[in-house]
Each structure stands twice: as structure tokens, then as C-alpha cells.
Amino acid sequence: MNNPSHNPSQTLDRPLRLGTRRSPLAMAQAEETRARLCAAHGWPEDAVELCPQVASGDRIQDRPLAEIGGKALWTKELDAALLHGEIDFAVHSMKDVETVRPEAIIIAAVLPRADVRDVLVGAASVAAIAQGARVGTSAPRRAAQMLHARPDVEIVSFRGNVATRLAKLQAGEADVTLLAAAGLQRLGETGVGHVLPAEEWLPAPAQGAIGIECLAARQDVRALLGAIDHAPTHAAIRAERALLAGLGGTCHSPIAVLTTSAGDDLVLRAALFSPDGALRVEDTARFAADDAQAPLVLAQRLLAQAPEGIAAFFHGDDSPAH
């Protein structure tokens, strides 16, 4: 990590305002961000003020995101607060941040990546899920990956925060569901479900990563956030987001990605699915962590291999992702 030595003169004339969604997981991520930033600069906790907002994605929980505006439902309120000067920076789960962002906003820091894996709740493994079971998820990647492995199951729409989804499962609205291990760990729910091996069940792009955004013009805030930027995680997230941009994926596009380190290189493994899970293509690339073109080349290779049932859900790099 890139922590500078503490500069006692680097005091603030007012608290920095950190925007966050109001959900329990988002608040936990904001608390972690505040703790890391204050530790890096030797500030007291009240040097950073949390400014919670209710995101559209939290308000609307009866329909899949893809039907009502995609990932922007998690970011638009915080984007507006940044652009209007109501907050100084904002914290996000990077897997919820659209690939194409407003030019005025920059990802200034990414915290060390947590567990990238998914957790299966309601069965000990994918193979152990009962025949014909109802799998609760509204994520195209999870649905397609599950149907690819288990075409006998039924996918039922399942939205809400961790507690809501666990309650829906308990109420019998589905037989099993999938949650992000990182989110469960940040909420202290470490005894829930069975972790799926990432090599067998590929995670979502940017899963497990917390990103902090600010206005590109705020050099003062960017410099302060640089103290908590974790370069290896940032490089991996940059590569995964570049791959998404190259694919032209949308919130309807089932894509799974696993990035690992090999010395100074990144190894990016990606799989694309048809929404019904019947079709799958996979490819892998190894490249230097600062190679911005390699993920785009991998995207082109994947699209060249993809049958129409997959390619129809990806649009190359000439179309913005949602």
C-alpha cells in the first residue's frame, strides 16, 4: 500500500464528507474507508463525516435491475451529490459501478480486495442442490452460470440486501440463493452458507473490491485518497473493467471473471454465457499489470469465439455499458 508518512501539517479545515448508500453493507464499507483514511493520515475519526443516501436500487426491490435502469441505480444519487459539491468523495462496491462513468468523476482509490468468491446458501454444493430446486437470484451471471451447471433448476427473481434475501430464503421463496462472500464477511456473517471455489464458480467482475470516487478536478481529494489506494487491487479492477468495456456488456450480459497474479503479471480468465446457460465460451490472457490493451484484445477474442446466442448480449467496444 502506498501510505505516506504522516504530515502533521496536513490538517483539515472541515471534515471531509464521504457519500455512501444507506444499506448495512454500504455503511460497513464506508466505515472501513473512513478508518483506513484516518489511519493513513493520523486523523481522528470525526475528520471524515459519513453522508448516507438512499439509492434507487435500494428503494426498488420488486424488479431486476436490468429492467429498471441497470447499475446506475446504485450510483446516480451519489454522482449527483459529488457533482453538486454536497460530498467530497463516495464509496462503492466496484461490481455495482457502471463501466462507463461521467467524465467529471474518477476512481481515485481502490481498497485491498476481499474474498472474490460466491457463497451458496441452502445446499452444500452446486451438485448437492435438489433436482428442480428454485434458485433465488436476479444476477444474470449467477443465473446463467447456475443453469449451465444445473439446467434442471428454476431461477426465481430475488433482490434486496443480504438480510432481506436471507429472510426470503427462510420464508421459502426459493430453495437456495447465492451471496458474495466479501459482503457476508464485512457484515460479520461468516457462518452463512458454503463458499464456492473461485476456479470452478467464477466471480463477477470487480467482486470483493471497494472503490472510492471523487471529482477529477479535486486534486486535493485525489492526493489524500492516494494514501489508501491498493495498487495490485486497482490494477486488477482496471483490467476487469477494461474487459467489460471491450465486450460492450450491459446489465443483461452474463459474464464471469477471475483475476490472479503471476509475478508482476495479471492472469485474466473470463467466461461469457447465454442467459439460459446453454452456451459458454471461455478464454484467458496473461499480461503486465499496466497493459491497458490486453483486456481489450481478450474481449475481441471472446467475441470472435462467441456463438450468436452469446454475442447478441455483447456489443463490442462501440456501445456504452449500463
Side-chain angles (χ1 to χ4, degrees):
M1 200 172 297
N2 212 12
N3 287 348
S5 57
H6 171 49
N7 177 358
S9 66
Q10 200 172 28
T11 53
L12 303 170
D13 54 8
R14 63 165 176 79
L16 288 171
R17 299 159 300 172
L18 173 56
T20 174
R21 285 167 48 208
R22 198 182 289 276
S23 75
L25 178 54
M27 292 298 292
Q29 293 176 164
E31 293 281 7
E32 179 180 344
T33 300
R34 171 163 67 179
R36 287 180 179 273
L37 193 60
C38 289
H41 293 291
W43 297 335
E45 185 181 88
D46 61 8
V48 176
E49 175 190 354
L50 301 189
C51 302
Q53 307 231 359
V54 178
S56 299
D58 291 315
R59 280 199 298 270
I60 307 167
Q61 297 199 356
D62 59 344
R63 285 162 287 166
L65 283 183
E67 293 179 7
I68 52 174
K71 290 183 177 181
L73 294 174
W74 300 127
T75 57
K76 65 180 183 179
E77 284 84 5
L78 292 173
D79 287 355
L82 269 179
L83 293 167
H84 294 148
E86 296 163 9
I87 57 175
D88 299 297
F89 54 117
V91 62
H92 297 286
S93 289
M94 285 308 302
K95 74 170 184 174
D96 293 335
V97 177
E98 321 93 283
T99 313
V100 178
R101 300 290 289 130
E103 285 188 13
I105 294 174
I106 190 170
I107 300 167
V110 181
L111 301 187
R113 197 170 198 168
D115 196 330
V116 301
R117 297 173 297 176
D118 272 350
V119 171
L120 181 66
V121 187
S125 67
V126 173
I129 296 172
Q131 190 79 10
R134 295 162 302 151
V135 178
T137 183
S138 57
R141 174 204 47 113
R142 286 173 173 152
Q145 203 163 201
M146 181 60 74
L147 288 169
H148 182 78
R150 291 291 307 270
D152 59 290
V153 302
E154 176 191 356
I155 303 297
V156 297
S157 184
F158 227 51
R159 287 221 28 241
N161 62 33
V162 169
T164 299
R165 281 186 276 171
L166 290 175
K168 286 182 176 183
L169 191 67
Q170 190 71 28
E173 293 185 28
D175 301 303
V176 298
T177 192
L178 295 142
L179 298 166
L184 289 169
Q185 290 163 10
R186 287 174 181 137
L187 290 169
E189 300 276 1
T190 51
V192 173
H194 298 269
V195 179
L196 299 176
E199 298 76 19
E200 299 170 17
W201 180 272
L202 298 179
Q207 185 152 316
I210 297 172
I212 303 109
E213 292 190 326
C214 69
L215 295 180
R218 289 289 304 272
Q219 294 293 341
D220 56 335
V221 177
R222 291 172 66 174
L224 292 170
L225 292 175
I228 58 170
D229 186 41
H230 187 247
T233 299
H234 205 148
I237 298 310
R238 192 181 297 115
E240 292 175 20
R241 289 173 62 79
L243 175 72
L244 285 178
L247 290 168
T250 72
C251 43
H252 297 275
S253 309
I255 173 171
V257 175
L258 179 64
T259 304
T260 52
S261 296
D264 293 332
D265 291 350
L266 294 176
V267 178
L268 186 57
R269 178 183 167 200
L272 311 183
F273 298 84
S274 58
D276 64 1
L279 302 172
R280 182 183 191 273
V281 294
E282 181 182 320
D283 207 338
T284 300
R286 176 172 173 164
F287 49 90
D290 60 355
D291 185 342
Q293 288 303 309
L296 302 178
V297 173
L298 177 59
Q300 290 166 2
R301 287 210 311 264
L302 283 161
L303 291 174
Q305 299 171 46
E308 178 58 26
I310 292 176
F313 293 88
F314 297 87
H315 309 289
D317 59 8
D318 58 355
S319 171
H322 297 307

